[in-house]
Amino acid sequence: MSEPTRDFNNLRADSAGKSEAEGELPNAAKRNGPERTTPEEFFRGVEVGHPDGIQCRVTRGGANGDLNDHIWNTRMGKDFAQWFAEQRNGSEPAYYSIAAFRCGAVSRYKGRTRGNAVAMRTLCLDIEGSSKKYAKPDGPENGYPDGAAAISAVKGFVKATDLKPNFMVDTGSGGFHLYFVLPEFISPSQWLSRAQALVALAKKTGLKIDAPCTTNAAQIMRAPGSIHQDTGKEVIAYRVRAEPYTLEEFDRLSYEPQLSLPPDAQSEKSVGNDIFGGTEYSKFSYAHAAENCPAMALAAANNGRGTSYPVWILAIRTAELSIQGRPYSCEISRGHPDYDEANIAKKLDSLTGGPAGCAAW
């Protein structure tokens, strides 16, 4: 297999509906675009590799046909790509877990929860291009009418951000999954802050995505090599960028300065300046900043249980100004015995100025 092209702008979607026998790559690219890769190569690229965590293959099971039948790679040390290839049945829909989960906490029908996730290695974007979903009342808000429109939007996102996916998966329904791969696994909290930044970046550039899919640590994604249940088409993976993203490179491309510091806060360094650098107030992630500031982490711990009033004020204002926004202000207050969402909204509306600086924390 030749070295994959780096020119994402060559990507085309006008081959939809043509077979490989006709000399086309289905639904995604000419041969001068991203190069088709094997399911084994894909799974080797997205394997988490945590020493105490396991990933799974998920299929439909039970009387209702729900996605709840889990087969876990419990043979620790077994190559995930090889293991998944052994489990794969190309005649049925199949999914896989993007996170690794605590081995003793999962079973065939339960345990795949956010709380049981121990490590992550990829960040994902789900772009819908299904005409069936687009026909629903909220379809135009959440996706694109077909694969050509979806891939055109993806190209626009890549051009605007310079974030090329390491892998692109054609789901078989007209949609695409984009994968940004890190060189090694990170913790769920480190992953979540970057997933939220990726959602914010997609929103800023106008890319329509399934945002909960990006930020859910328990998310499962369609497995290359399996079959889409509605169209009968194979799920196909393409490699776009060979090198994984370092955390520094991914953060540089996904966290962008967006706002100027308000006049009444210009004399004080902001959280964005102290942690991310620069002379302007940067749009930041509270969760990511808390990785570098124990006081911020403590203020958000246990959803606000035991947080004193002055610290609570710092926390909710800083959270509201971050990419997580007001919902996160409520989330880090929910555990306090006096929690009341209406009162928090009223308090936040009364606060002004930039995020609290290090001296205040």
Side-chain angles (χ1 to χ4, degrees), residues 43 54-61 65-73 80 83-84 87-89 92-99 101 106-112 218-224 226-227 229:
F43 288 115
I54 53 177
Q55 289 172 268
C56 67
R57 176 178 181 268
V58 185
T59 56
R60 298 182 185 276
D66 296 331
L67 284 169
N68 61 359
D69 195 351
H70 300 70
I71 301 176
W72 296 91
N73 179 21
F80 180 66
W83 174 85
F84 203 99
Q87 300 294 326
R88 193 174 73 244
N89 180 349
E92 67 177 359
Y95 299 73
Y96 82 99
S97 63
I98 60 173
F101 295 81
V106 296
S107 64
R108 182 171 180 179
Y109 292 108
K110 62 182 181 180
R112 181 175 53 83
Q219 184 68 37
I220 53 176
M221 304 292 283
R222 287 192 181 274
S226 66
I227 302 298
Q229 70 275 11

Side-chain angles (χ1 to χ4, degrees), residues 11-231:
L11 186 63
R12 297 183 62 182
D14 56 2
S15 58
K18 296 184 179 180
S19 68
E20 289 182 85
E22 294 175 293
E24 302 288 352
L25 293 178
N27 296 327
K30 295 286 188 180
R31 294 199 183 278
N32 64 348
E35 184 165 320
R36 180 171 176 171
T37 189
T38 66
E40 288 77 12
E41 283 186 275
F42 172 81
F43 288 115
R44 189 163 290 114
V46 300
E47 178 180 9
V48 176
H50 191 279
D52 301 316
I54 53 177
Q55 289 172 268
C56 67
R57 176 178 181 268
V58 185
T59 56
R60 298 182 185 276
N64 297 325
D66 296 331
L67 284 169
N68 61 359
D69 195 351
H70 300 70
I71 301 176
W72 296 91
N73 179 21
T74 54
R75 291 178 289 178
M76 306 300 288
K78 180 77 171 182
D79 180 87
F80 180 66
Q82 180 183 346
W83 174 85
F84 203 99
E86 293 172 2
Q87 300 294 326
R88 193 174 73 244
N89 180 349
S91 65
E92 67 177 359
Y95 299 73
Y96 82 99
S97 63
I98 60 173
F101 295 81
R102 287 196 296 272
C103 185
V106 296
S107 64
R108 182 171 180 179
Y109 292 108
K110 62 182 181 180
R112 181 175 53 83
T113 64
R114 300 181 190 189
N116 287 333
V118 294
M120 329 285 291
R121 191 170 162 239
T122 59
L123 296 116
C124 313
L125 290 176
D126 181 356
I127 298 94
E128 293 286 357
S130 164
S131 58
K132 180 180 178 181
K133 292 183 178 179
Y134 191 79
K136 294 181 178 180
D138 61 348
E141 299 176 12
N142 299 318
Y144 300 91
D146 52 37
I151 207 64
S152 178
V154 169
K155 288 167 61 177
F157 172 80
V158 171
K159 183 177 181 180
T161 64
D162 204 29
L163 267 175
K164 296 181 181 179
N166 295 95
F167 293 103
M168 179 183 69
V169 172
D170 179 346
T171 66
S173 67
F176 297 90
H177 296 164
L178 308 184
Y179 289 86
F180 305 91
V181 180
L182 304 175
E184 56 188 21
F185 62 80
I186 57 178
S187 70
S189 62
Q190 291 174 311
W191 173 87
L192 179 58
S193 64
R194 291 172 172 92
Q196 290 166 331
L198 191 56
V199 168
L201 189 62
K203 182 178 180 181
K204 178 188 176 185
T205 58
L207 181 66
K208 300 175 186 178
I209 63 169
D210 182 351
C213 173
T214 300
T215 57
N216 181 11
Q219 184 68 37
I220 53 176
M221 304 292 283
R222 287 192 181 274
S226 66
I227 302 298
H228 193 286
Q229 70 275 11
D230 292 334
T231 65

Side-chain angles (χ1 to χ4, degrees), residues 250-330:
F250 185 84
D251 289 348
R252 175 175 57 80
L253 293 172
S254 59
Y255 289 94
E256 296 186 342
Q258 298 178 33
L259 300 175
S260 297
L261 198 65
D264 59 346
Q266 287 179 352
S267 61
E268 181 185 26
K269 283 186 176 181
S270 73
V271 170
N273 294 328
D274 288 333
I275 293 176
F276 299 109
T279 58
E280 292 184 332
Y281 157 43
S282 299
K283 196 68 174 176
F284 62 96
S285 162
Y286 186 107
H288 187 199
E291 295 173 15
N292 300 276
C293 177
M296 290 179 68
L298 186 61
N302 300 316
N303 300 103
R305 292 183 183 88
T307 302
S308 65
Y309 182 81
V311 176
W312 175 72
I313 291 294
L314 293 181
I316 63 171
R317 177 59 174 165
T318 304
E320 183 179 40
L321 293 173
S322 74
I323 63 172
Q324 285 84 18
R326 184 162 294 194
Y328 196 64
S329 298
C330 295

